[in-house]
Amino acid sequence: MGNKQTIFTAQQLDAYQVGYGSHFLLFYRYRDLAPQLVPLDYTNQPDVKLPYELIGSMPELKDNPFRQRIAEVFSEDGEGNMTLDDFLDMFSVLSEMAPRDLKAYYAFKIYDFNNDDFICKSDLEKTLNKLTRNELTEDEVKMVCEKVIDEADLDNDGRLSLEDFQNMINRAPDFLSTFHIRI
Amino acid sequence: MDVGSRPPASLPPRLLSSIKAERDVSAMSSGMKMLLLGVTLLLLRAAGADLSGSAAPHPGPVLSSPSAPPLGPPPGAPGVALSRSAVEEEQEAEEHHGGGYRVVQWEWSYVQTPYIIAIWLLVASVAKILFHFSQRFTTVVPESCMLILLGLVLGGIVLIASKKQLYQLDPSLFFLFLLPTIVGDAGYFMPARLFFDNLGSILTYAVVGTLWNAFCTGFSLYAAKLLGVIDERVQAELMDFLLFGALISAVDPVAVLAVFEEVHVNEMLFIIVFGESLVNDAVTVVLYKVYISFVEVGPGNVQTADYFKGVASFLIVSIGGTLVGLVFAVILGFITRFTKKVRIIEPLFVFLMVYLAYLTAELFSLSAILSMTFCGIGANKYVEANISQKSRTTVKYTMKTLASIAETIIFIFLGISAVDKSKWAWDTGLVSCTLVFIFVFRAVGVVGQTWVLNRFRLVPLDKIDQVVMSYGGLRGAVAFALVVLLDGEQVKAKDYFVATTIVVVFFTVMFQGLTIKPLVKWLKVPRSTNRKPTINEEIHERAFDHILTAVEDIAGLQGYHHWRDKWEQFDKNYLSKLLLRKSVYRKSELWEAYQKINIRDAISVIDQGGNVLTSARLSLPSMASRASFPEVTNVTNYLRENGSGVCLDLQVIDNVPGSKVEEDMETHHVLAGNLYKPRKRYQSHYSRHFMPLGEKERQDREVFQRNMRSRMETFKSTRHKRHKKERSLKKVNMLRDPHRWNDPVVVPVEPEEDKADHSDPEKEEDVGITFVARKAETPKQRPKSVPAALDVCQSPPPHTPSPPAADSHLPWKGSVGAPPPCVSVEATKIIPVDLQQAWNQSISSLESISSPPAPAEPVHPRVSALSRLGGPRPLSYTGPTAGGSPSAGPPLPQASFSFPERKKKQQVEEEEEEEEPGASQEMQPLMSPLRLPGSPPPAPPPAPPPGSGRRRNPCVYLRSLVTTPPGGSSEPHSHRPTQL
């Protein structure tokens, strides 16, 4: 860890709740994505953003239906351009230490395509189409969406609020406990 | 009969038939499976007889196939052999009796084998029934314990009767027939996702853990022997002890299944213990065989190379077994792709291929259990998609029945086998040492491995999990069968080992099996929840997978999610194309899940009340014809209502699209609403599955529910008051004009569904309080013309569209500006101010409309109590009230219109938003009367007597209702206050 000082300050390290040692791994990963953009010295907090195209064009992700959405949700500007902070935040949300509520919140945000703080029908339809790669007909999608809302919509307003969502997801205890990755 | 007038009867033949078909299949399948079982057992028994006769010193269980010269009829052609023997016997008989024809003959030798098998099966099954007679007893004592005890008793009887133990758990019978049925069932229905999620841990426990147990137990026993704890009579060397350690150390799938299924620990814990018990088969088989060969050649002659051969052998046995299983899985999937024309034998393919996977692995002395497990896991997805719904049901029931009966037989025979003096050689030192070592090493092994595993697991196993895992290391029939297979010549201490094994098995199954439940309770181990899968979970699961994969990929990690995603891609691109029918392949799994959930719900609905569907015109999409959307839609909407009993739908009316009013439909709806449920219906359909309530009770409930529903309807309509003022005018008009009645009548949009709705909650939670508000109510319709009228004004005239159409525009789907007025079940109990009138009204309507079950109505305490509402309240009422005469039709309605003085009428309107708070206040007066003992209200005079004649002609009945003074007068009044 000889190069610790050169990349992060101590405070910065404390701020990132990703787990000891993971910062560097992630930092190098971040830098690898765009070596020409990212400086090696982060102590003075350079304003660097990784454009979404870089992430979106990764070959591993080309089949992933949620790649754009994830980038959007976790990036500060909402358009998928990620700073190092965003990048590390993403992993801290998905780390084991992150509280369940936080995870649920971000999961909710990922579903909430139109950012209106509710999962409404159109959000669900988008999700479904992404998940099924447009294999379902419109009718089918509609029916499934109705069922989804019907199941989880406790306040009966035809859309899912964060509470609805949390409620729903807490009923299946395994969801959030497995909703993390090890780095 | 009014029944005849309702279309329902003719409606759902499809649904009914499909459901029925399922039932038939299951019934049929049980018959078929018994047959199958009989045949297989027959074969086995014969084979087993040979084996036990020849006391085969085979190196492994694998080799103990029915190759020995058969004592009984040759396994291959039992029928022929048997018939031949019968003929011979007959000839003998003829010789004896001088050729005379005997009318009755004693053909015992002809039927002996199958007869005995059948008797045993019968005994086992009856024993099962008996155990489950006492609910309290079975919750405490696991079935396996009882079966072993029963076996002990039976064994004792047999021993006393014939001085010799005739029956025992025969290893070949066990390995070739009993074990595969259980493993096949377990493998095929193994939750694949869960299994593979925990595969790392399972493999670790199974391989490392079993090796650790085996070696430690073996060496420790040897040490105990050297120390003199174990008696000198036990002539065993290090190799013998290691061999014994190997066979005694493996956790047994049968025992684990039997015990854990009753304990209901959470799925993860279960899959780890059970998965371990399945997968450790490879380790056990290899260790067993290696040691046997070492014992045979003598420890001195073992060369170093042999150890490496042992390791290589392990890899071959395990990986080979897995591969054989997967190959058969692919073949099975591929075959079922083409069974469209011969659906009837689809299940057979499943059984045969899974069983062949087992036998083939045995053939090459690979791990048969692994093979079968992986065949089941691998094939399940494709087979389930390919075969028809009926076949699926058949497979499921057959497998479950076979497994269940096999398990029963295993435990009974374990008990019986124990009662055999010839095999026993008791040594307290050996027995107690073994018990202690097994337990200690299991615990140490689990803790140690978990400590390592938790560094890698996504969900760490905590201490409680470890305790349960240690304690759940049950030994069972596999160990027993293996020890019986030992060659007494080679292993001098065989008898001691047998006795010890029996004790260990009994101890773990009985003592640990008995105590694990309290232990789990005491430790508060998270239990498995019996929640139904929901479409939400399906979606989230998939979405989360994608999200995690994406994040892993972004981080450049090649973790678990990465590989699973890769596998899914591969599966989608190649495997599914190869193994799935084209028609099936198109559909996404999500859709499948959706349909499954739908069908499950539909079935449960039917089970809970057959008549529901009859009236709802639903047809269930059979899985075979997946493409039928309209049907699916019906079910969907249908289920939506039943699925979430929580939703109070208040918007039904508003969202119903206007359409042409069809007279007959109207009439139908009116009738459906107005007539109380035909009683006979229950009995005629599904009487087997419907639990008939007491006649009176049911009627009371119906009455009560109608009340509630009508109340909700009023509630619904009052909500709109604000928005439209003209309404009041219209209302008045409508009220005046009798002909307008038609419109309001239409309002209840889905009268048919209401039956579904209320029958459902009615059965599930026996209090009839959870209604869905949207149930259209009949009695209310009439008197309620007001609310209905209101709705009519404010929204496009809701006509009754054909149910499907109506369904598709379900209530709460529509975007509604106003915040949801009622949210949950509890809401039903709250009676908002606005509702008071409705409440009273509904009561009055009840009173005024005496329907067929009228006699019962009055009896209901609640109803009658409610009817007295008028009494207590008048004080606070502005309007004239019917004081003490709740019984009279006309007066009552009056009472209902009045409002408590403290509430100003305008306030009432404003309070719509805050119904709930307001309600809490109002609840008191409303609810308290409920507790009053009911006084039977006199028969409502105004309403047309519930003559059968009326029912026959619904129109007449209807009209009479409409024109009755009470109804008409009540309506206008009821809303007046609120309008002001």
Side-chain angles (χ1 to χ4, degrees):
Chain A
M1 293 291 141
N3 51 4
K4 184 190 280 181
Q5 264 41 328
T6 61
I7 303 179
F8 299 117
T9 62
Q11 291 91 341
Q12 281 175 318
L13 282 178
D14 283 344
Y16 301 137
Q17 297 287 319
V18 218
Y20 184 78
S22 306
H23 320 73
F24 300 100
L25 199 132
L26 290 175
F27 171 74
Y28 288 124
R29 175 66 186 174
Y30 183 70
R31 193 169 175 279
D32 282 347
L33 290 174
Q36 70 282 12
L37 288 178
V38 182
L40 258 180
D41 179 14
Y42 248 76
T43 45
N44 52 3
Q45 319 226 343
D47 181 26
V48 179
K49 277 186 180 177
L50 220 54
Y52 168 69
E53 291 73 35
L54 265 175
I55 293 177
S57 61
M58 286 166 64
E60 299 94 322
L61 285 173
K62 77 175 183 331
D63 285 329
N64 200 306
F66 286 98
R67 60 181 187 279
Q68 183 172 4
R69 191 59 203 153
I70 289 171
E72 283 171 10
V73 165
F74 285 101
S75 62
E76 218 165 303
D77 62 3
E79 292 175 4
N81 306 318
M82 304 189 94
T83 64
L84 179 62
D85 281 359
D86 296 336
F87 194 75
L88 291 177
D89 274 349
M90 177 164 72
F91 293 101
S92 59
V93 165
L94 290 178
S95 76
E96 293 161 76
M97 287 89 86
R100 294 168 68 97
D101 282 351
L102 188 70
K103 287 182 191 175
Y105 174 68
Y106 273 95
F108 180 80
K109 270 182 79 169
I110 288 175
Y111 287 125
D112 182 20
F113 285 90
N114 55 12
N115 296 322
D116 64 351
D117 291 332
F118 285 99
I119 299 180
C120 53
K121 250 190 186 162
S122 64
D123 295 329
L124 276 177
E125 280 167 16
K126 263 188 200 164
T127 310
L128 267 179
N129 281 329
K130 279 178 184 296
L131 281 177
T132 58
R133 282 153 226 229
N134 298 317
E135 280 167 357
L136 299 184
T137 66
E138 259 178 57
D139 282 346
E140 288 168 331
V141 170
K142 231 178 226 146
M143 280 154 51
V144 178
C145 287
E146 280 175 9
K147 179 115 184 143
V148 170
I149 293 187
D150 179 45
E151 275 178 0
D153 184 16
L154 293 185
D155 51 12
N156 228 2
D157 59 355
R159 54 190 185 170
L160 305 185
S161 61
L162 181 58
E163 288 74 34
D164 287 337
F165 183 77
Q166 280 174 333
N167 197 306
M168 161 77 224
I169 215 131
N170 282 333
R171 271 171 38 196
D174 288 346
F175 272 139
L176 288 178
S177 55
T178 53
F179 191 49
H180 62 73
I181 59 172
R182 281 177 181 263
I183 296 167
Chain B
M1 294 290 307
D2 52 313
V3 178
S5 67
R6 320 179 85 212
S10 62
L11 288 186
R14 268 193 84 168
L15 182 47
L16 290 186
S17 69
S18 76
I19 300 294
K20 240 190 189 155
E22 171 145 335
R23 293 241 165 76
D24 291 348
V25 168
S26 65
M28 184 189 77
S29 71
S30 70
M32 191 184 89
K33 106 208 109 196
M34 284 308 288
L35 191 84
L36 263 181
L37 183 64
V39 172
T40 48
L41 281 186
L42 174 64
L43 294 181
L44 287 201
R45 198 62 206 160
D50 321 335
L51 255 195
S52 56
S54 59
H58 296 299
V62 178
L63 300 183
S64 58
S65 60
S67 54
L71 293 183
V80 177
L82 290 175
S83 63
R84 193 190 52 217
S85 71
V87 170
E88 285 167 6
E89 191 176 314
E90 211 170 320
Q91 286 169 349
E92 267 179 50
E94 278 178 21
E95 284 168 21
H96 276 286
H97 298 276
Y101 181 77
R102 282 187 305 162
V103 179
V104 178
Q105 301 180 34
W106 179 254
E107 296 280 16
W108 173 246
S109 63
Y110 177 48
V111 295
Q112 181 183 13
T113 314
Y115 205 90
I116 291 177
I117 292 170
I119 293 291
W120 273 118
L121 290 180
L122 186 67
V123 167
S125 312
V126 171
K128 253 192 151 131
I129 296 178
L130 292 179
F131 294 153
H132 288 278
F133 258 137
S134 163
Q135 193 66 37
R136 218 174 25 168
F137 189 64
T138 42
T139 50
V140 177
V141 184
E143 200 181 282
S144 45
C145 291
M146 291 312 304
L147 290 174
I148 286 186
L149 286 181
L150 175 73
L152 286 174
V153 172
L154 287 178
I157 294 175
V158 172
L159 192 66
I160 292 171
S162 62
K163 308 287 181 216
K164 188 176 154 263
Q165 191 52 270
L166 293 177
Y167 304 99
Q168 62 154 346
L169 187 60
D170 186 79
S172 68
L173 173 73
F174 174 74
F175 280 114
L176 287 178
F177 299 97
L178 296 176
L179 188 57
T181 52
I182 293 171
V183 174
D185 172 61
Y188 189 75
F189 294 107
M190 174 90 74
R193 166 86 193 233
L194 211 53
F195 182 78
F196 286 109
D197 278 359
N198 294 294
L199 188 60
S201 314
I202 291 174
L203 283 179
T204 311
Y205 288 121
V207 177
V208 180
T210 308
L211 284 176
W212 157 269
N213 282 349
F215 283 119
C216 289
T217 312
F219 281 117
S220 304
L221 284 177
Y222 184 60
K225 173 97 187 334
L226 291 184
L227 290 175
V229 181
I230 294 173
D231 198 275
E232 284 302 320
R233 287 171 298 154
V234 182
Q235 303 175 340
E237 291 308 309
L238 176 61
M239 276 303 163
D240 297 314
F241 280 120
L242 285 178
L243 173 60
F244 179 64
L247 63 85
I248 203 69
S249 64
V251 178
D252 181 69
V254 182
V256 167
L257 256 190
V259 169
F260 272 68
E261 265 184 355
E262 294 184 30
V263 177
H264 299 300
V265 294
N266 60 75
E267 289 99 343
M268 192 185 71
L269 202 50
F270 173 75
I271 204 74
I272 289 180
V273 177
F274 180 57
E276 176 200 341
S277 70
L278 282 179
V279 177
N280 68 18
D281 174 65
V283 182
T284 316
V285 166
V286 172
L287 278 183
Y288 185 81
K289 283 197 295 188
V290 167
Y291 285 138
I292 288 243
S293 62
F294 285 1
V295 169
E296 277 172 0
V297 297
N301 301 330
V302 178
Q303 293 158 2
T304 330
D306 290 337
Y307 293 105
F308 289 102
K309 276 187 201 163
V311 174
S313 160
F314 166 70
L315 292 179
I316 291 173
V317 165
S318 54
I319 298 176
T322 308
L323 284 183
V324 168
L326 292 180
V327 167
F328 273 92
V330 170
I331 297 175
L332 174 56
F334 196 67
I335 288 182
T336 52
R337 201 183 151 174
F338 304 104
T339 50
K340 194 174 179 185
K341 300 272 169 58
V342 283
R343 293 272 189 206
I344 197 74
I345 57 168
E346 272 173 345
L348 192 58
F349 280 120
V350 179
F351 301 130
L352 284 183
M353 296 308 286
V354 173
Y355 189 47
L356 275 180
Y358 184 90
L359 290 183
T360 310
E362 288 274 282
L363 182 66
F364 295 107
S365 62
L366 303 172
S367 167
I369 293 185
L370 269 186
S371 169
M372 201 171 196
T373 306
F374 276 93
C375 181
I377 294 183
N380 181 290
K381 178 186 162 190
Y382 309 105
V383 171
E384 291 280 290
N386 279 336
I387 64 180
S388 71
Q389 174 74 27
K390 288 178 188 172
S391 303
R392 255 177 269 183
T393 314
T394 310
V395 169
K396 185 173 154 195
Y397 280 97
T398 311
M399 280 206 173
K400 294 287 176 206
T401 315
L402 283 178
S404 165
I405 204 70
E407 187 186 284
T408 310
I409 290 182
I410 286 175
F411 282 118
I412 288 190
F413 272 72
L414 264 182
I416 293 180
S417 309
V419 192
D420 187 356
K421 275 181 292 186
S422 63
K423 273 189 274 166
W424 277 76
W426 179 271
D427 180 72
T428 314
L430 180 63
V431 169
S432 48
C433 282
T434 311
L435 280 178
V436 171
F437 289 147
I438 281 182
F439 194 80
V440 169
F441 289 126
R442 168 83 186 168
V444 173
V446 165
V447 170
Q449 291 172 80
T450 311
W451 183 74
V452 177
L453 281 172
N454 271 349
R455 304 173 155 242
F456 303 99
R457 282 183 59 86
L458 276 183
V459 186
L461 295 161
D462 56 24
K463 289 213 174 60
I464 290 178
D465 293 334
Q466 295 174 36
V467 171
V468 175
M469 285 169 58
S470 312
Y471 205 71
L474 308 174
R475 289 9 182 230
V478 172
F480 177 77
L482 286 177
V483 83
V484 169
L485 272 182
L486 286 178
D487 181 4
E489 300 286 312
Q490 307 273 0
V491 185
K492 300 282 191 304
K494 179 185 170 183
D495 287 349
Y496 290 98
F497 288 158
V498 170
T500 311
T501 307
I502 289 179
V503 171
V504 167
V505 169
F506 281 22
F507 179 80
T508 54
V509 171
M510 300 188 72
F511 180 74
Q512 283 174 233
L514 202 63
T515 48
I516 195 167
K517 219 172 200 174
L519 182 77
V520 162
K521 238 179 227 160
W522 182 64
L523 290 175
K524 297 197 176 62
V525 178
R527 303 297 197 87
S528 72
T529 47
N530 247 354
R531 77 201 136 73
K532 300 174 180 171
T534 63
I535 191 73
N536 269 288
E537 288 170 19
E538 296 285 340
I539 288 177
H540 297 325
E541 188 182 309
R542 284 175 173 76
F544 282 16
D545 283 352
H546 283 301
I547 292 168
L548 290 173
T549 312
V551 174
E552 255 187 14
D553 283 340
I554 290 175
L557 301 167
Q558 308 228 317
Y560 173 67
H561 298 288
H562 174 83
W563 289 111
R564 190 185 51 217
D565 193 57
K566 281 262 178 301
W567 162 256
E568 272 168 14
Q569 299 280 338
F570 172 75
D571 175 61
K572 194 158 186 61
N573 293 336
Y574 304 101
L575 266 185
S576 292
K577 277 183 184 156
L578 177 70
L579 300 181
L580 288 183
R581 271 177 212 174
K582 284 215 180 67
S583 58
V584 188
Y585 175 66
R586 195 178 65 79
K587 287 298 166 200
S588 135
E589 282 173 39
L590 256 183
W591 180 248
E592 293 285 314
Y594 171 73
Q595 280 195 319
K596 263 188 199 162
I597 290 172
N598 263 354
I599 288 182
R600 181 208 61 205
D601 289 354
I603 289 177
S604 71
V605 164
I606 294 184
D607 279 343
Q608 284 159 10
N611 73 318
V612 163
L613 284 179
T614 330
S615 54
R617 296 201 189 194
L618 293 181
S619 37
L620 193 66
S622 75
M623 288 311 271
S625 60
R626 301 191 154 76
S628 51
F629 290 150
E631 293 171 339
V632 175
T633 321
N634 289 345
V635 177
T636 313
N637 295 315
Y638 189 53
L639 298 172
R640 182 176 306 135
E641 310 179 336
N642 299 303
S644 61
V646 215
C647 298
L648 280 183
D649 167 21
L650 300 175
Q651 336 274 335
V652 179
I653 296 184
D654 315 42
N655 289 328
V656 173
S659 71
K660 237 184 163 183
V661 184
E662 297 171 62
E663 272 294 325
D664 54 323
M665 277 311 281
E666 249 174 63
T667 317
H668 164 64
H669 289 305
V670 169
L671 287 178
N674 276 316
L675 298 179
Y676 275 76
K677 273 190 230 160
R679 309 296 155 187
K680 287 183 183 160
R681 213 160 255 290
Y682 286 108
Q683 264 64 34
S684 58
H685 304 275
Y686 296 109
S687 50
R688 265 186 310 165
H689 308 282
F690 175 75
M691 262 222 293
L693 304 166
E695 186 73 357
K696 223 174 61 178
E697 192 186 350
R698 175 152 39 81
Q699 289 171 0
D700 290 343
R701 259 188 208 169
E702 190 175 346
V703 169
F704 180 68
Q705 286 179 346
R706 284 176 184 232
N707 274 344
M708 298 297 282
R709 275 183 289 161
S710 55
R711 186 181 48 121
M712 291 317 297
E713 288 257 333
T714 321
F715 179 32
K716 204 187 308 176
S717 57
T718 52
R719 290 183 59 244
H720 306 300
K721 275 175 229 155
R722 270 203 252 181
H723 311 295
K724 304 248 173 179
K725 303 251 167 167
E726 335 115 310
R727 208 184 318 161
S728 60
L729 284 178
K730 275 204 177 182
K731 168 195 66 188
V732 174
N733 288 340
M734 297 186 69
L735 293 173
R736 280 178 194 154
D737 182 0
H739 299 291
R740 294 300 302 263
W741 277 107
N742 280 343
D743 288 351
V745 167
V746 179
V747 173
V749 182
E750 291 137 326
E752 295 126 312
E753 288 180 357
D754 70 16
K755 306 197 108 199
D757 280 340
H758 69 80
S759 75
D760 205 7
E762 175 178 327
K763 265 136 221 165
E764 279 192 317
E765 5 186 329
D766 48 5
V767 192
I769 287 201
T770 29
F771 320 110
V772 178
R774 88 189 86 112
K775 298 161 187 173
E777 192 26 44
T778 39
K780 136 213 139 180
Q781 284 170 337
R782 295 220 35 297
K784 278 255 173 107
S785 51
V786 178
L790 292 179
D791 286 309
V792 171
C793 325
Q794 90 131 61
S795 61
H799 302 302
T800 42
S802 68
D807 285 348
S808 61
H809 297 268
L810 266 176
W812 58 91
K813 312 296 153 185
S815 60
V816 183
C822 276
V823 177
S824 63
V825 184
E826 282 80 10
T828 39
K829 294 174 186 156
I830 298 173
I831 302 165
V833 176
D834 317 45
L835 280 190
Q836 290 182 347
Q837 50 163 2
W839 178 266
N840 291 335
Q841 203 179 24
S842 62
I843 293 157
S844 68
S845 70
L846 265 175
E847 307 281 312
S848 60
I849 307 170
S850 75
S851 51
E857 285 180 49
V859 189
H860 195 290
R862 286 190 186 173
V863 173
S864 53
L866 285 177
S867 65
R868 297 165 112 230
L869 269 179
R873 279 180 140 207
L875 300 176
S876 63
Y877 280 18
T878 54
T881 49
S885 64
S887 51
L892 246 187
Q894 292 267 352
S896 64
F897 314 146
S898 52
F899 260 79
E901 280 176 327
R902 46 190 157 142
K903 300 281 172 191
K904 301 285 180 185
K905 277 118 198 190
Q906 301 120 329
Q907 277 179 344
V908 174
E909 289 190 6
E910 284 164 14
E911 275 190 42
E912 287 166 8
E913 298 279 357
E914 336 141 7
E915 288 124 344
E916 308 228 1
S920 56
Q921 295 179 353
E922 295 304 312
M923 219 158 72
Q924 250 354 65
L926 279 176
M927 298 312 269
S928 56
L930 285 180
R931 280 170 230 130
L932 298 176
S935 65
S948 56
R950 289 257 155 60
R951 278 163 148 216
R952 269 182 213 138
N953 186 343
C955 289
V956 172
Y957 178 56
L958 185 68
R959 207 164 297 138
S960 69
L961 286 178
V962 170
T963 49
T964 34
S969 67
S970 71
E971 249 61 65
H973 288 290
S974 69
H975 274 270
R976 212 166 273 157
T978 46
Q979 287 310 322
L980 297 176

